[in-house]
Amino acid sequence: MKYNAVTIKDVAKALGVSTSTVSRALRDSHEISPETKELVLECAKRLNYTPNPIALSLKEKKSRSVGVIVPEVANGFFSQVINGIESMAFDKGYDVIISQSLESYEREIRSVQFLASRSVDGLIVSLAAETANLDHLLQLHDRGLPMVFIDRITDEINTHKVIVDSFRGTYDATEHLIQSGAKRIAVIAATEFLSTTRERVAGYREALLANGIKEQPELIHYCFYGGIEFAEIEEIVNKLFTLRQKPDAILTTSDKLTTGVLKTLKRRGIKVPQDVALAGFSNTDIPELIDPPLTLIRQPAREMGAAAIDLLLQMVNSKRPVKEFEKRRLSPELQIRESSQARQRPKPGSKK
Amino acid sequence: MKYNAVTIKDVAKALGVSTSTVSRALRDSHEISPETKELVLECAKRLNYTPNPIALSLKEKKSRSVGVIVPEVANGFFSQVINGIESMAFDKGYDVIISQSLESYEREIRSVQFLASRSVDGLIVSLAAETANLDHLLQLHDRGLPMVFIDRITDEINTHKVIVDSFRGTYDATEHLIQSGAKRIAVIAATEFLSTTRERVAGYREALLANGIKEQPELIHYCFYGGIEFAEIEEIVNKLFTLRQKPDAILTTSDKLTTGVLKTLKRRGIKVPQDVALAGFSNTDIPELIDPPLTLIRQPAREMGAAAIDLLLQMVNSKRPVKEFEKRRLSPELQIRESSQARQRPKPGSKK
DNA sequence: TTTTTTTACGCAATCGATTTCGAATATCGG
DNA sequence: CCGATATTCGAAATCGATTGCGTAAAAAAA
């Protein structure tokens, strides 16, 4: 069952020397004669010795592993983030331990504590939608556990953060919709407690303002579960399309919402972009295959992951406590396709 | 930097008892009087004691973590598999350490050795496309490291395996294409060294045979990089559509190939399903949004991941070496949509 | 040759937790 | 009241590797 690991002791015994000698020889210490080193190295190889990282971790109080907590792995954006994290961590000799919160506050707490108790050297966190209280993370942060937030961040904890410029994302997308002729742009956003949601809705608002369009409260909707509950989206779309004045464009703030809204529109027979334009955040790898091809705001997910692990390892390997923190803000990319494009708009009232 | 962990020693000192007593009290040993237990438990909580899993691992020679090696995390299928693995592992108190091979043999070797050296209790592996030699895994298997293969398996290592019934997947899909009127069905498959590819192509062949259609070698193509190199797909599509007798349907054997082929067809202005029908393996979460809605063979990815971790933990926790191995074969689901549907087919020769 | 300095290595502590063995105290029967 | 069994706890070994300290032997300096 448990495979017989060759230890430093076995090598020592085989050679009739002490474990200290073996250890030092393996680490190429100057206190060991070249001949002995030779012998030890040869013997270690012959016996197929592999160092036990757990013993080392115990001594060094470092595990050379980092924990990653994301809402969900099976999500285009987050899986790309993880890709970025893993690639760089692997190159630097770090393990990546994954845990999902599934948007649940309770599960996030358990995940965090689980990872912390497993002595990860640091944590990369993207907050769950439900999470309003940050004590579970603050506690660890106060005890000195290096921590980097990604995408869904918080102001309550002072540490490195990696985000995309969400404000600009929705600002540009909104402006683009306006230039394409939209006058009544609805927003379907995720939980309003998320940092990303707040920034994105703010970008939308600012763009309306800058273009002299008055904000309409009935056009702004939040999905608490961000589309995991499909019914949530349907209800909102229903509301929007039973308004006296229907929206002529919809802006969505997350991957699930973007595709979810499109699904709902299709089911209801609402044509995009003829009846309503659509644009939103998404990191799907097949935007051009979707009908209609989707205009979307894409986040540089891989790069964000890479930035996060980079910042984290900087902290982990820093001699003294890091006091200056960075908020690394990458640029989103607005990809314009048909779903948002200008088109013949029926005269008001000419259509049901 | 490293946060001051409270150890069992601190608790012992605070109470003026020995570490053994604390340890036993914490584990609710019968050798400790109820009063002492009470005291220790209270003190441990007060001091915010958390056990150090590394010390435990060292002693128990178990890390309560499992390694997962997949070709790529940012892939619909594999991220769903990981979701299944993580969910169940988390419930059972196991860490999941992720590593990607990126289809590279060399990186797979390094990943495997990295994970093994980190003392994972077991491994879940989906082989890289490049991997032809299995020595790196055989070595560990021989030394007794529990191991489960998922999706892309091998016959060379005798252990638990979890797959989808690929043969039936393509058999049914092919038959469906035939019933929809297809007569010349091309196959675009991944690397032929992959177990999945072989089974899938076999299913296709068998279906042709069963329906009295002669197999045409020029209609069968393999992509070594399985669509990671987009040019690979384009070249194959090119070849197929410069044949004197063009295919009237295409069957693809992987997620990337299915979407990749559709992209290529769109770029070349070949209409699906009017000019050519399309069906293939895919685990995309938005098949109905794609134009045209895709007929696809879906794998129960989450369930496969759950089955794999279940089998793995069975081995890990088994008292004696497991000798009987299981090949768990889940059923794929054929989801029929427009991309493969019967339609007006032009008379032979009436079209360019 | 004697003293000093290197060189090369072993002993033992350490990391945190568990566990075997032994011992001290308490309890009980006679 | 004494020997015997129970109860409760501590000392020390253990897991694998590292490292400060001590020391014997060899080399260099005197």
Side-chain angles (χ1 to χ4, degrees):
Chain A
M1 257 255 337
K2 202 55 222 168
Y3 60 109
N4 54 325
V6 176
T7 77
I8 212 170
K9 234 175 261 182
D10 300 320
V11 178
K13 202 167 295 171
L15 256 53
V17 298
S18 77
T19 59
S20 344
T21 304
V22 176
S23 171
R24 278 188 266 250
L26 259 25
R27 314 198 114 243
D28 202 29
S29 159
H30 66 277
E31 316 188 34
I32 302 293
S33 72
E35 304 86 55
T36 314
K37 271 183 197 167
E38 187 77 23
L39 268 160
V40 171
L41 254 49
E42 184 278 329
C43 182
K45 181 160 293 176
R46 186 162 43 76
L47 264 52
N48 200 6
Y49 164 80
T50 52
N52 181 332
I54 295 198
L56 237 181
S57 295
L58 181 57
K59 203 151 185 6
E60 309 258 314
K61 303 196 178 210
K62 289 185 186 175
S63 63
R64 286 190 81 80
S65 66
V66 300
V68 175
I69 301 178
V70 294
E72 194 184 2
V73 175
N75 166 299
F77 173 68
F78 289 115
S79 66
Q80 288 163 32
V81 166
I82 292 172
N83 184 330
I85 294 174
E86 194 276 341
S87 298
M88 178 167 284
F90 181 78
D91 288 341
K92 306 224 167 173
Y94 277 78
D95 272 341
V96 178
I97 305 179
I98 301 282
S99 198
Q100 329 185 65
S101 65
L102 304 176
E103 305 290 14
S104 146
Y105 173 52
E106 198 266 333
R107 206 185 196 274
E108 179 176 290
I109 292 182
R110 288 202 299 148
S111 287
V112 166
Q113 283 171 352
F114 188 49
L115 289 179
S117 83
R118 299 303 291 250
S119 320
V120 291
D121 293 342
L123 227 44
I124 295 179
V125 183
S126 195
L127 294 168
E130 280 184 15
T131 301
N133 184 308
L134 291 158
D135 288 346
H136 55 304
L137 288 164
L138 262 170
Q139 226 176 73
L140 293 169
H141 179 249
D142 290 344
R143 287 204 293 171
L145 181 68
M147 199 175 282
V148 173
F149 284 93
I150 185 164
D151 194 52
R152 300 165 168 203
I153 64 177
T154 174
D155 287 336
E156 293 182 38
I157 299 183
N158 189 27
T159 185
H160 289 314
K161 287 154 199 171
V162 176
I163 54 172
V164 86
D165 190 342
S166 282
F167 182 92
R168 252 203 52 203
T170 42
Y171 186 98
D172 291 351
T174 305
E175 198 146 63
H176 160 71
L177 286 170
I178 294 172
Q179 282 163 5
S180 299
K183 305 235 177 303
R184 287 178 58 78
I185 306 174
V187 163
I188 301 183
T191 314
E192 60 182 307
F193 306 117
L194 289 176
S195 58
T196 48
T197 303
R198 288 198 303 266
E199 257 206 73
R200 289 170 195 185
V201 172
Y204 156 81
R205 288 201 161 114
E206 193 66 23
L208 289 191
L209 196 65
N211 286 273
I213 298 184
K214 185 148 175 292
E215 187 184 318
Q216 308 289 344
E218 75 270 23
L219 294 181
I220 303 182
H221 289 274
Y222 295 94
C223 275
F224 190 81
Y225 284 102
I228 286 195
E229 305 282 337
F230 192 68
E232 232 184 337
I233 297 181
E234 281 185 315
E235 195 189 321
I236 290 175
V237 170
N238 258 344
K239 266 192 200 150
L240 285 176
F241 284 86
T242 48
L243 283 177
R244 199 121 46 86
Q245 293 195 57
K246 301 181 181 36
D248 53 13
I250 299 178
L251 183 69
T252 48
T253 70
S254 85
D255 214 309
K256 273 231 169 63
L257 288 175
T258 306
T259 54
V261 166
L262 183 56
K263 276 184 203 173
T264 308
L265 293 175
K266 285 202 169 186
R267 286 196 194 166
R268 297 196 35 152
I270 300 171
K271 295 256 183 303
V272 178
Q274 292 80 4
D275 299 336
V276 69
L278 180 62
F281 272 84
S282 172
N283 264 52
T284 173
D285 51 348
I286 48 170
E288 69 272 47
L289 294 186
I290 294 175
D291 172 46
L294 275 182
T295 288
L296 47 82
I297 307 154
R298 176 176 291 278
Q299 304 185 73
R302 248 193 76 96
E303 289 75 9
M304 290 173 74
I309 184 77
D310 182 42
L311 288 169
L312 185 67
L313 293 185
Q314 269 180 33
M315 294 177 72
V316 168
N317 297 317
S318 144
K319 304 292 177 218
R320 66 192 119 274
V322 181
K323 292 292 176 198
E324 291 295 307
F325 297 110
E326 184 179 340
K327 185 184 276 190
R328 205 170 285 186
R329 193 186 296 265
L330 311 198
S331 290
E333 185 192 355
L334 178 63
Q335 300 182 333
I336 296 177
R337 298 196 183 77
E338 293 174 28
S339 75
S340 65
Q341 294 295 43
R343 70 263 162 210
Q344 301 304 93
R345 194 175 291 279
K347 303 254 168 10
S350 78
K351 192 160 175 241
K352 173 209 149 169
Chain B
M1 255 250 342
K2 202 55 222 170
Y3 60 107
N4 54 327
V6 176
T7 77
I8 209 169
K9 233 175 262 181
D10 300 320
V11 179
K13 201 167 296 171
L15 257 52
V17 298
S18 76
T19 60
S20 345
T21 304
V22 175
S23 172
R24 277 187 269 249
L26 258 26
R27 312 197 116 244
D28 202 28
S29 157
H30 67 278
E31 320 187 30
I32 301 294
S33 71
E35 304 87 55
T36 314
K37 269 182 200 168
E38 186 77 23
L39 266 160
V40 171
L41 255 50
E42 184 276 331
C43 182
K45 180 160 296 177
R46 187 161 43 78
L47 265 52
N48 202 5
Y49 164 80
T50 52
N52 181 330
I54 295 198
L56 236 181
S57 295
L58 180 57
K59 201 150 187 12
E60 309 257 313
K61 303 195 178 213
K62 289 186 187 174
S63 63
R64 286 190 82 81
S65 67
V66 302
V68 175
I69 300 178
V70 294
E72 194 185 2
V73 175
N75 166 300
F77 173 68
F78 289 116
S79 66
Q80 288 164 32
V81 166
I82 292 172
N83 184 330
I85 294 174
E86 195 274 343
S87 299
M88 179 168 283
F90 181 79
D91 287 341
K92 305 224 170 174
Y94 276 78
D95 271 341
V96 177
I97 303 179
I98 302 283
S99 197
Q100 327 186 66
S101 65
L102 303 176
E103 305 290 12
S104 149
Y105 172 53
E106 199 264 335
R107 207 186 197 274
E108 180 176 289
I109 292 182
R110 289 203 298 147
S111 286
V112 166
Q113 283 170 351
F114 188 51
L115 289 179
S117 83
R118 299 304 291 252
S119 319
V120 291
D121 293 342
L123 226 46
I124 294 179
V125 184
S126 194
L127 293 169
E130 279 185 16
T131 301
N133 183 308
L134 291 156
D135 287 347
H136 55 302
L137 288 164
L138 262 171
Q139 226 176 72
L140 293 169
H141 179 247
D142 290 344
R143 288 204 292 171
L145 181 68
M147 198 174 284
V148 173
F149 285 94
I150 185 163
D151 193 52
R152 299 165 168 203
I153 65 177
T154 173
D155 287 335
E156 292 182 40
I157 298 182
N158 189 25
T159 185
H160 289 313
K161 287 152 199 172
V162 177
I163 54 172
V164 87
D165 190 341
S166 281
F167 183 92
R168 251 202 55 201
T170 41
Y171 187 98
D172 291 352
T174 305
E175 197 146 63
H176 160 70
L177 286 170
I178 295 171
Q179 284 164 4
S180 299
K183 304 235 178 302
R184 290 179 55 78
I185 304 174
V187 164
I188 301 182
T191 315
E192 62 182 305
F193 306 116
L194 289 176
S195 59
T196 46
T197 304
R198 289 197 304 266
E199 258 206 73
R200 289 170 196 187
V201 172
Y204 157 81
R205 286 200 162 114
E206 193 65 24
L208 290 190
L209 196 66
N211 287 273
I213 298 183
K214 186 147 174 291
E215 186 183 317
Q216 308 288 344
E218 76 269 22
L219 293 181
I220 302 182
H221 289 274
Y222 295 94
C223 274
F224 190 81
Y225 285 103
I228 285 195
E229 306 281 336
F230 192 67
E232 232 185 335
I233 297 180
E234 282 185 315
E235 195 188 322
I236 291 175
V237 170
N238 259 344
K239 266 192 199 150
L240 284 176
F241 284 86
T242 48
L243 285 176
R244 199 123 45 87
Q245 293 195 56
K246 300 180 182 36
D248 54 11
I250 299 178
L251 183 69
T252 48
T253 71
S254 83
D255 213 309
K256 273 232 169 59
L257 289 174
T258 306
T259 54
V261 166
L262 183 55
K263 277 184 203 173
T264 308
L265 292 175
K266 285 202 168 186
R267 286 196 194 165
R268 297 197 34 152
I270 300 170
K271 295 258 184 301
V272 178
Q274 291 80 2
D275 300 336
V276 68
L278 179 63
F281 272 84
S282 173
N283 264 52
T284 173
D285 51 349
I286 48 171
E288 70 271 47
L289 293 187
I290 295 176
D291 173 43
L294 275 182
T295 288
L296 47 83
I297 307 155
R298 176 177 291 277
Q299 304 185 73
R302 247 193 76 96
E303 289 75 9
M304 290 173 73
I309 185 75
D310 181 43
L311 288 169
L312 185 66
L313 293 185
Q314 267 179 35
M315 294 177 73
V316 167
N317 297 318
S318 142
K319 305 292 179 216
R320 67 192 118 274
V322 181
K323 292 293 176 198
E324 292 294 307
F325 297 111
E326 184 180 340
K327 186 183 276 190
R328 206 170 285 185
R329 192 185 297 266
L330 311 198
S331 290
E333 185 193 354
L334 178 63
Q335 300 183 332
I336 297 176
R337 298 196 183 77
E338 292 175 28
S339 75
S340 64
Q341 294 294 43
R343 71 258 162 214
Q344 301 303 94
R345 194 174 292 280
K347 304 252 166 12
S350 79
K351 192 160 175 248
K352 173 210 151 175

